[in-house]
Structure formats: C-alpha cells, structure tokens
Amino acid sequence: MSSHPTGVVTFLFTDIEGSTRLWETQPEAMPVSLRRHDELLRERSVAHHGYVFKTVGDAFCVAFAEADDALRAALAIQQAVGVESWTVEGGIRVRMTLHTGTAEERDGDYFGPTLNRVARLLSAGHGGQTLLSLATEQLVSFNLPDGVELIDLGQQYLKDLSRPEHVFQLAGPGLGRDFRPLNTLNVHATNLPVQATPLVGREADVKAVSELILQPAVRLVTLLGPGGTGKTRLSIQVAAELIDRFAHGAMFVALAAIDDPGLVVSTIAQTLGVKESGSEPLIEQLKAFLKPRQMLLVMDNFEQVLDAAPDLAKLLQAAPGLKIITSSRSALKVYGEREYPLAPLGLPDLRRRKIPTAELLAAPAVALFVERAQATKPDFALTDENARAVAEICVKLDGLPLAIELAAARIKLLPPKSMLDKLSSRLKLLTGGSRDRTARQQTLRGAIDWSYELMTAEERALFARLSIFTGGCSLEAAEAVCNVAGESDLDIFDGVSSLVDKSLLRQIETAEGDPRFVMLETIREYADERLTAESLCDAIGRQHAGYFLSLAEEGAAKLTGPEQVAWLDRFELEHDNLRSSMTFLLRSLDPDTALRLSSSLWRFWWMHGHLHEGREWLEVTIAACSNNAEMQAVQGRALHGLGLTTYSQGDFSAAVDAFERSLSLRRQLDDKPGIAAVTCNLGLIAEAQGKPERAMEMYRESLSLAEQVNDTRLVATNQNNLGNAAFRQGDPEAAQPLLEAALTLFRKLGQKQGTAMTLNVLGEIAFLQQDLPRAKARFEECMKLRQQLGDREGVADVIDNLGNVALAQGDFTRAAEQHASRLALSHELGSKRGTADGLEGMARVANAQGRHERAVRLLAAADALRAGIGLTLSPTDADRHEREVTIARAALDGSAFDASWEWGRLASLDDALAYAARALHAPQLAE
C-alpha cells in the first residue's frame, strides 16, 4: 500500500528462529536465504495491503488497516516459507505474531504500548508458529479462510508486562499445529502448600506418577499406602512438577478435617473459589466451573470420605480437561482409577557385615535421616562410626518417612547407637499389635509410641489434649483449652515449643504472620487415642467448644463493622475447629449451646459462600434446641440467618418461612431491632418476587423501627434499600439523597459491604446523569471493597457497570473486555441473572459498533434466559433493554430482525455463550 494506516492498526511482526546460529554455522548459505526470505515477506505483505515500516536484521514489522488482510498475509507467508527450497540446510522457520491497537505514528514509524505488546508476544512464539492476541482474534474469527482455525492457547503472562494476554495460534493448510509451550512467564492458579524441607528419596516415584497422570487415558491416580508413607508430600511434589502442563493450574484440597462425605463437594468448591449461588445443586455449579478448564486437583486424605468417590467420577465425566491425584489408605474403587501403591523408602541391604559409608548414604531412607537430623543438629554427619547404626534405625522403621523424621528429630538427645537400642526394645514390645492393621501401621505406631515415651509427663498431657484441635490452633487457643480446671503446672508455651522441636507439631504462619500449630493427621489420631485413654475427651471437648463459642460470639458482633474482613478471615481459618465444636455439642446432647454457636456463625457462612453447609447446621440446631423462653432470642437470630441463607440460594419459600418464624419470636420478645431487620429482609424477597410496592412498604416500616431504636447500621441499610428500589422504579432523583445518606452512615460505621452496595447504585445514577468520571470512580471504589470481601457475584455486577462506562466513553475494546469478563464470571458462579446481564452488555457493545444482527441475537438470548427463571427487569433496566432493541430494529429490515431474534430466543445457553465469545470488534457483516 502507498501510505501507512492510522487509527486502529493491526501489526504483523516476524523474525527467523535461530538466525544467529544459522549465520554462525552456514555463513555462505544464509545471505541467499535471507534475500529470498525478505522477498517473500515483502511481496506477500504488500499483496495483502500491508505497509512495511521497519526491518531489523531478519525481523519484519508490517502495519495493516484491516485485521483480515494481516491474517491472510501471515497465512500466505507461512505457506510460502514452508514450501520454499532454502539454501540453508534444514530450511528456515519464521515465527509471527498479530496484534491490534492504536499507536503513535511518527515519520512512517510507530511507537507506544501496542508496539511493545506485539514485540513481547513475538518473543513467546516458536519458528513456524503464528500467534494472535485477543484483540486481533476478535476481529478475524468470524471470517476465517476455508480450512483455517484459531487454537485457543489461553491467558499468558508476557515478559515485563503485568497484564496477561489471551493468545491464539493460527492453524491451517501448510501450517504446523504442535509446538512447544510458549515462552511466557505464565502464572498458574495454585494453592500448593510450600514445603519447608526438600523431598528426599522419591525421585523415581515423582517421575513415575507424573508420567502416569500425563497419559491421555488416565484421569484419576490414587496414591495408596498407610499413614506416614509420604503420600501427601509426593502428591504435592508431582503437582508442582506438572503445574505448567495444566493451563488452569494445580489446586490442593485438604480433607483431613472432614469426615462427612457430603462436605467434599463444598470443600472443593470453596478451595476453587466457586461460590454457591441460586438453587442449582452445588455439584452442578462445580461441574460447570470445571468443564472448560485444564486443571489438576490434589485430594488429600480421601480414606475418611470414600463414599464421596462417585462425586469425583461425576466431575471427571463433566470436565474433560480435569485430572485428579488422591492420597488415600484405601482405593476409591471408581471406574478409570489407576492405583499407585507407594512403597517405603529404599533401604540398604544389611546382610553384608561391612558396607562403605557412601553406599549407605545412597539409600533414600538413610539420606532422609541424615537430612532431617542435620536440620535439628547442623553438625551431624554420617561417619564410619555411626553409619551402620543409622542404617539399622531406618530398617527397623521399615523406611517409613514419618517414622524416620521422628527418629531423626531426637538426634540432639540420643546419638544413633543409643537411639537404636531404645528403638529396638520399643518396636519389639509393639510387634503383637492389632491383627487388623498392616505391619507398617504397627511399625509406625511403635515409632510414635517410642517418641511419646521420651516425653515428660507434662508434654504427654499436652500432646494428647492438642489432638482436640482440627486444622491447627493458635497459642492462645491451646492455652485456653488444654489446661483442665485446677491444674497449674502445665506450661503451654514451653510444651508447644518442645513438641515443635520433636516434630510432633508443625509451626506455620498465618497470612498475618501469626504462628499457628498443626499436628500431622496420623500423629493426631495417635494423640486422640491417648486423650481417650486418659478419660479427658469430654472435659477437653467442652473447653474446646466453649473457647470457639466465645470466639464466634465475639466475631459475630464484629462482622458488621470495620473489622469485618479480618473476622471473616479468622472464621475461615478456624472453620474446621468450629465444625468439630458443633459436632461435639450435638453429640453430647447440648443442642441449645450448639444453636448459640450456629446463630453466631450464620453471617460468616452467608458472606463466604458456605450456603449449603450453613443451611444444614442452622436447620439441625434449630430443630434440636429447646423451645423455652430463654432460647427464643437465639432461635430468632438463627432463623433470621436461615432466611438470608435460603434467600441467597433462591429458595424464596423457605426464606419466607424462616423470616416469618423469626418475626413471630421477635414480636413476642418486643425485639424492635430484630423486628426491623427481619421486616427489611422480607422487603428484599418481595422485591425479588416483583412486588415493589410491598417491598417499599416493608423498607419504610423497618426504617421507622430502626430510627426508634437508634440502630444506625439498619437505618443505613433501609435507606440504601429504599434508594435502590426508587432507582429501579425509574426515579433516580428520589433515590440519590437516600443513597447518599446511607453511604455516609456506612462509611462512618466502617461497613464495607453496605458501602460497596451503595456506591454501586450511586455509580449507576451518575452514569444515567452522564457524569462518566464520577460513575467510574464510584464503580472502581466499589470494586476494591468487593474484592476485599471476596464477594465474587458483586464483583461481576460492578464489572458490568465499568463496561458500560467504557462503552459510553467510546472505548469499544475495553467495553468488550469488561462485558466478556462479567459474562464469564457470572457463568462460573452459576448466576443466570448475571449471565443474562452479561449477554445484554455484549449486545450493547455490538449495537454501538453497528453490528445490529449480533446485538439482536444476544438481546433475545438474554430475554429467554430471564424468562426461563421467571426474572422481571426493573423499570430502569427494562427501559435500557427496550432502547437497545429499538436501535437494532431501526437499523434492520423486518425479516433480518425477526430471524436474528428467533435465533437468540431458541439458542441453548451453551450456544449463546459460544456465540457471545466470538468477535466483538469486527466490521458489520450479515450473520
């Protein structure tokens, strides 16, 4: 082309893979090949209307006004390069990348972030490979040449760039498909626990399990073995080695604290951040979340929830890119499971009298002992004098990693020969253990028993009592729970320190940097047996339940104030202990105390998405508690929590029942704050059921009561609800002063959830008033608060609003990205309301671009989805929807509009989502 393109430009960058090496190894042939390379690239670029604005060595930089031309040029170049007879041996391979954006043009050259982006994307590819950014893919994907496709390579982190790029690969006639992983700094989603010590002696197992799980036909691998064989440690290491082979990362799901198979699905969901929403079963929401992902799950300690194995099979069936590694003492016995029995660590052959020290050290079990001993005693070394004794210790312990680590931790007190003497006598004593246990279990029991015998009486008492904690504990909790009334000689601080030194406790740090003490599950089981033997289970269990009841009641009062996020995190950290406290109270026939605990935890369960579990605890404790007057207030609070929980699940009938029962109790008690809160929430249900007048009436009644009792938070909540309802009814002028007043109160209270909710509606009002900078600022502040709270559904809503702002500012690219992100997040969460709003947001972008047939299809699909769940739009949202329909109808003839509307109305949700994911920025074509 004769002049350079301006505005939105598609750039094609290329270079030759390994050109430096080719110049060094074939200096005579390269000049001829490079000249031919330059001719091919220039001819085909110009033939497709490209403007070659720079060449540097073997690199070409070409600009195109149309993305379609750039794609066809890249295709033609790769095909020509592939069939050319090159003078260099082996030919040359050209890597290419396409990216679209705006750039500053100066003297025929281009500058700016878009150029940096395309250069970085080029460096990620390989010879013969052509990469496209999302911006370019969305321009070309609807009009690809015959036989050409774009392979989705997912989100990639490019060098020196913080924002990830969604990358696609060009595939077609004459082009390769299979290339090495991109040269990117990709960050994979993971929560794999960081290990304090290296994995010793398991190199062959890591390799074998990795190769096994990577086989295409293998989806589920179970690491089998008794406690102490290192199943957990091996599974974590394998996941770490393979994380870059799974586009969506590797996640660790801890099941040690769970003995109810019914909680496995909710535990997986919580680990993956899948927040329960609506009435759809959680497993269905989890299947939808995992279906498009390539992910590795590590399920730890599965033997105690074996009845949940069919749920894993369902997830694997629904998600073709999912693979699972489980650690268990028993096989899962589901179709497709591959078992991997984990043998003890390799041991030296001691049948020879004299064995060189170096040969003994080469045995994995001995190497582990030495490594762990040096962690305790840095100057420890394997010598000719002690090597045989160390080897015999490892053999006596059957090569079990946990037993070896426990023995090595004693090296400060006992040299190897003394240790061997004590260990030998103890193991002999325990040889005749229970016949229903394996020999390895008996050996491990002997090792732990031996460590137990080395403790002082005070350490033994503390060791047993610490078994009451599940998921670990703070030093404060240990001090509160582990001293029985009347004792004064049990020093918790010194005792905990000693148990950490003896490897019977692990010290970890919380996110805030506070120490936390965790007992390995196998050791905890042994300690629990000791607690039972001392007949202290009931006494320590009551102290444990009492401590966590006090914690829950203290935190419940803080969940509506400035310490909200900190207390939500603390409850999450202690969730396993809270569960076990609830279980103890119900088993010990103390349902009233159990109700006190559940009534204090409902807000945590509700806000952090434990809806299914929270509902079960609330229903059980409400049904079991006494009906005496003393418990009426507690029942009222618990029923209020049950109402909000079932409302969030979309079960309005159950929610109304719970709220009305709570209201009855609170009226009997003349509890005006409680009456006001329940009335307010009945208004929410009325509004959700399409009864705005009834909702407004309830909000006003609740506001009046809240003002009478001076409940500032509830005053703010009702002001917000009234303002929100007025806005939804199309009266932003009446809504704004109510919302501003609510915002002032929420800020004063430090109430982040209420502040975020109000900011979002005020942002919508500013948007309607065309004050775009103010709207954007309101939405961005709301976004930060919702991210802090972990409110993913709220985040989705505000992303939608930010997309509307970008569209109003004429930034189509940003608007498309925001609405696509909102649609994806809402679909992940299983929110059909949010999914419909996401489809409509993308329709607005299409209309603004003049792509009216696309807009009509998306609008109709959103309409059909809402109709399917009985959702009615508010007047404001209905006006916005009708405006988009009117714009599209005016631009199309009747038959085109009707055909597009019919397509969207009849499309399945999957088809509508796939259609929405296609190009949003391309010029209008007949569709």
Side-chain angles (χ1 to χ4, degrees):
M1 59 187 300
S2 58
S3 62
H4 53 270
T6 58
V8 177
V9 179
T10 297
F11 293 97
L12 168 64
F13 278 22
T14 79
D15 67 10
I16 297 175
E17 182 179 52
S19 59
T20 301
R21 177 183 53 80
L22 292 174
W23 277 105
E24 291 175 351
T25 58
Q26 304 183 59
E28 295 179 358
M30 267 300 286
V32 177
S33 289
L34 186 60
R35 282 195 297 271
R36 181 56 181 153
H37 162 272
D38 291 354
E39 290 171 2
L40 287 176
L41 265 71
R42 193 176 297 276
E43 288 172 2
R44 281 153 181 78
S45 295
V46 172
H48 290 87
H49 313 296
Y51 173 71
V52 181
F53 64 91
K54 184 185 293 184
T55 60
V56 181
D58 55 79
F60 265 58
C61 303
V62 191
F64 294 83
E66 301 293 338
D68 284 345
D69 290 335
L71 180 80
R72 285 166 171 75
L75 179 62
I77 292 168
Q78 289 286 27
Q79 290 171 334
V81 169
V83 299
E84 182 69 19
S85 298
W86 299 100
T87 57
V88 296
E89 184 179 349
I92 65 172
R93 289 165 60 83
V94 178
R95 60 179 179 176
M96 304 182 182
T97 191
L98 296 167
H99 179 51
T100 304
T102 58
E104 180 184 352
E105 187 276 331
R106 237 181 10 252
D107 299 326
D109 200 353
Y110 295 87
F111 305 89
T114 299
L115 278 297
N116 298 335
R117 196 75 173 168
V118 70
R120 288 299 183 189
L121 186 56
L122 179 66
S123 69
H126 305 290
Q129 187 175 37
T130 301
L131 302 178
L132 290 77
S133 68
L134 176 64
T136 304
E137 185 270 345
Q138 290 183 332
L139 290 168
V140 301
S141 62
F142 67 95
N143 193 29
L144 295 171
D146 291 342
V148 172
E149 62 175 309
L150 299 179
I151 301 172
D152 189 344
L153 301 183
Q155 295 273 8
Q156 303 288 333
Y157 281 80
L158 308 179
K159 295 178 181 178
D160 299 331
L161 293 172
S162 59
R163 180 170 59 87
E165 181 62 66
H166 200 136
V167 181
F168 298 81
Q169 176 186 306
L170 180 65
L175 274 64
R177 293 180 64 93
D178 298 323
F179 296 88
R180 300 189 309 276
L182 297 183
N183 298 317
T184 60
L185 301 178
N186 227 26
V187 178
H188 295 271
T190 186
N191 67 339
L192 295 176
V194 176
Q195 301 302 301
T197 57
L199 181 64
V200 178
R202 291 295 190 190
E203 294 80 4
D205 292 306
V206 170
K207 183 175 184 294
V209 176
S210 298
E211 291 175 350
L212 183 59
I213 195 69
L214 287 178
Q215 292 179 22
V218 177
R219 305 287 305 288
L220 171 64
V221 174
T222 299
L223 305 183
L224 290 170
T229 47
K231 302 182 297 295
T232 297
R233 184 68 179 84
L234 177 62
S235 67
I236 293 170
Q237 189 67 37
V238 170
E241 297 284 345
L242 299 181
I243 192 170
D244 61 350
R245 305 294 291 270
F246 292 85
H248 297 93
M251 299 297 288
F252 182 82
V253 183
L255 301 174
I258 296 173
D259 58 11
D260 181 359
L263 293 178
V264 170
V265 169
S266 59
T267 301
I268 297 172
Q270 187 67 22
T271 301
L272 299 182
V274 177
K275 187 176 180 181
E276 187 177 7
S277 60
S279 57
E280 188 177 33
L282 181 57
I283 193 169
E284 296 301 320
Q285 299 177 40
L286 190 55
K287 285 160 64 176
F289 173 84
L290 289 168
K291 183 177 181 180
R293 286 171 165 72
Q294 292 181 337
M295 180 177 284
L296 176 63
L297 284 187
V298 177
M299 308 291 297
D300 189 45
N301 282 302
F302 207 87
E303 64 273 357
Q304 54 204 23
V305 288
L306 284 174
D307 287 344
D311 289 330
L312 295 192
K314 292 175 185 177
L315 296 180
L316 289 168
Q317 186 177 15
L322 174 67
K323 296 202 176 195
I324 298 176
I325 298 175
T326 64
S327 66
S328 178
R329 298 179 191 180
S330 303
L332 275 59
K333 302 297 184 185
V334 295
Y335 179 77
E337 179 187 24
R338 296 290 294 271
E339 299 177 16
Y340 187 90
L342 185 57
L345 289 174
L347 294 165
D349 184 354
L350 297 181
R351 287 175 297 180
R352 287 183 293 158
R353 179 173 295 185
K354 287 188 179 281
I355 304 173
T357 299
E359 185 177 331
L360 291 174
L361 185 58
V366 175
L368 176 63
F369 183 100
V370 172
E371 195 278 334
R372 297 298 191 263
Q374 288 173 342
T376 300
K377 193 173 186 291
D379 62 349
F380 178 81
L382 198 68
T383 66
D384 292 342
E385 288 71 32
N386 66 19
R388 182 83 188 194
V390 169
E392 290 185 18
I393 289 170
C394 293
V395 170
K396 290 289 186 183
L397 296 177
D398 283 345
L400 293 171
L402 179 56
I404 291 170
E405 292 188 6
L406 290 169
R410 306 281 80 75
I411 200 67
K412 283 194 296 187
L413 298 174
L414 297 170
K417 289 182 180 179
S418 298
M419 185 183 298
L420 180 60
D421 292 339
K422 292 182 178 293
L423 187 59
S424 296
S425 61
R426 181 55 58 191
L427 289 173
K428 184 180 293 186
L429 179 65
L430 296 176
T431 299
S434 301
R435 295 184 181 274
D436 62 345
R437 294 185 179 274
T438 66
R440 291 194 189 101
Q441 284 177 311
Q442 293 174 357
T443 302
L444 180 59
R445 178 175 295 277
I448 300 174
D449 190 55
W450 165 73
S451 294
Y452 181 82
E453 292 296 332
L454 289 177
M455 298 181 203
T456 65
E458 292 78 13
E459 288 172 341
R460 292 177 193 173
L462 179 59
F463 174 64
R465 295 171 193 187
L466 284 170
S467 68
I468 200 69
F469 293 100
T470 53
C473 66
S474 64
L475 185 62
E476 174 196 2
E479 290 173 334
V481 171
C482 293
N483 263 316
V484 178
E487 291 182 337
S488 60
D489 56 350
L490 189 60
D491 190 312
I492 304 298
F493 181 85
D494 287 344
V496 165
S497 298
S498 179
L499 293 176
V500 169
D501 288 342
K502 291 179 172 61
S503 298
L504 293 168
L505 278 182
R506 290 184 298 155
Q507 181 176 337
I508 60 175
E509 286 190 0
T510 65
E512 292 73 31
D514 298 323
R516 188 170 179 84
F517 302 96
V518 180
M519 192 176 283
L520 293 175
E521 191 60 23
T522 303
I523 296 175
R524 195 179 77 84
E525 290 176 9
Y526 179 92
D528 183 62
E529 291 178 1
R530 292 292 177 176
L531 186 66
T532 302
E534 295 175 17
S535 302
L536 285 173
C537 285
D538 188 66
I540 297 298
R542 288 199 172 279
Q543 291 184 183
H544 179 271
Y547 174 82
F548 283 101
L549 174 62
S550 296
L551 182 76
E553 290 181 335
E554 179 186 0
K558 304 287 181 64
L559 288 182
T560 57
E563 298 177 69
Q564 183 179 56
V565 174
W567 274 95
L568 286 170
D569 291 343
R570 187 168 182 184
F571 279 157
E572 195 65 65
L573 182 66
E574 299 292 3
H575 202 180
D576 290 333
N577 280 311
L578 293 164
R579 286 176 175 131
S580 63
S581 294
M582 191 85 68
T583 300
F584 172 84
L585 291 168
L586 290 170
R587 286 178 180 171
S588 59
L589 303 179
D590 191 358
D592 288 357
T593 305
L595 183 67
R596 286 177 58 196
L597 184 55
S598 69
S599 71
S600 298
L601 291 175
W602 72 261
R603 195 179 298 273
F604 156 67
W605 288 323
W606 174 57
M607 293 181 69
H608 262 212
H610 302 287
L611 300 179
H612 174 73
E613 182 177 354
R615 179 175 181 171
E616 284 193 349
W617 285 123
L618 287 164
E619 288 177 340
V620 167
T621 53
I622 289 168
C625 77
S626 306
N627 290 317
N628 55 49
E630 187 178 325
M631 291 302 298
Q632 282 186 331
V634 182
Q635 281 183 289
R637 290 197 302 272
L639 285 163
H640 186 193
L642 180 61
L644 274 172
T645 301
T646 50
Y647 165 76
S648 297
Q649 290 180 311
D651 190 346
F652 294 159
S653 176
V656 169
D657 177 69
F659 282 138
E660 288 182 344
R661 289 168 63 193
S662 176
L663 188 61
S664 174
L665 287 170
R666 291 181 167 189
R667 281 177 172 158
Q668 292 176 40
L669 297 168
D670 195 27
D671 174 12
K672 288 187 172 61
I675 294 169
V678 176
T679 303
C680 174
N681 290 325
L682 284 167
L684 287 175
I685 295 179
E687 196 169 356
Q689 293 175 323
K691 303 173 184 176
E693 294 82 7
R694 176 66 174 158
M696 296 283 274
E697 177 186 339
M698 290 182 170
Y699 295 149
R700 292 190 185 98
E701 180 182 343
S702 179
L703 176 60
S704 175
L705 285 170
E707 288 173 336
Q708 289 177 35
V709 297
N710 199 28
D711 187 334
T712 306
R713 186 183 64 83
L714 195 52
V715 167
T717 298
N718 280 291
Q719 287 174 331
N720 174 80
N721 287 346
L722 283 165
N724 201 3
F727 172 67
R728 299 300 174 204
Q729 291 304 302
D731 192 354
E733 288 75 17
Q736 185 153 358
L738 287 163
L739 291 164
E740 294 286 1
L743 181 62
T744 299
L745 290 177
F746 280 135
R747 287 192 194 280
K748 182 178 178 181
L749 292 166
Q751 223 284 333
K752 293 186 178 183
Q753 188 181 40
T755 301
M757 181 171 54
T758 309
L759 282 167
N760 193 51
V761 186
L762 285 169
E764 292 187 57
I765 291 174
F767 179 79
L768 285 180
Q769 295 169 340
Q770 299 184 346
D771 187 347
L772 299 184
R774 185 172 181 77
K776 184 179 180 183
R778 295 287 201 188
F779 292 142
E780 287 178 343
E781 185 181 354
C782 172
M783 170 76 83
K784 290 179 182 178
L785 291 171
R786 285 180 169 171
Q787 287 172 335
Q788 290 173 21
L789 290 165
D791 180 3
R792 297 180 73 211
E793 190 165 6
V795 166
D797 286 338
V798 78
I799 289 174
D800 188 80
N801 288 331
L802 284 167
N804 293 336
V805 172
L807 186 61
Q809 292 174 326
D811 188 346
F812 292 173
T813 300
R814 183 63 177 159
E817 289 174 348
Q818 295 279 25
H819 286 299
S821 176
R822 188 273 161 80
L823 178 61
L825 181 53
S826 291
H827 184 54
E828 284 179 12
L829 294 171
S831 171
K832 292 186 177 179
R833 175 195 65 81
T835 301
D837 289 347
L839 290 168
E840 183 141 338
M842 298 182 84
R844 288 194 290 274
V845 177
N847 249 347
Q849 294 173 309
R851 306 185 68 206
H852 302 298
E853 290 184 10
R854 172 175 290 278
V856 172
R857 290 185 178 191
L858 293 170
L859 288 165
D863 239 20
L865 184 55
R866 292 185 182 113
I869 60 175
L871 182 64
T872 304
L873 287 173
S874 69
T876 299
D877 290 336
D879 287 346
R880 182 184 295 174
H881 175 79
E882 191 57 39
R883 183 165 60 250
E884 296 298 327
V885 172
T886 301
I887 291 170
R889 191 188 298 274
L892 299 171
D893 61 47
S895 60
F897 180 92
D898 291 343
S900 296
W901 189 270
E902 188 71 0
W903 185 96
R905 186 180 68 83
L906 297 177
S908 68
L909 179 57
D910 285 344
D911 287 343
L913 292 170
Y915 182 74
R918 293 176 59 188
L920 294 174
H921 307 308
Q924 183 181 10
L925 295 174
E927 300 186 61

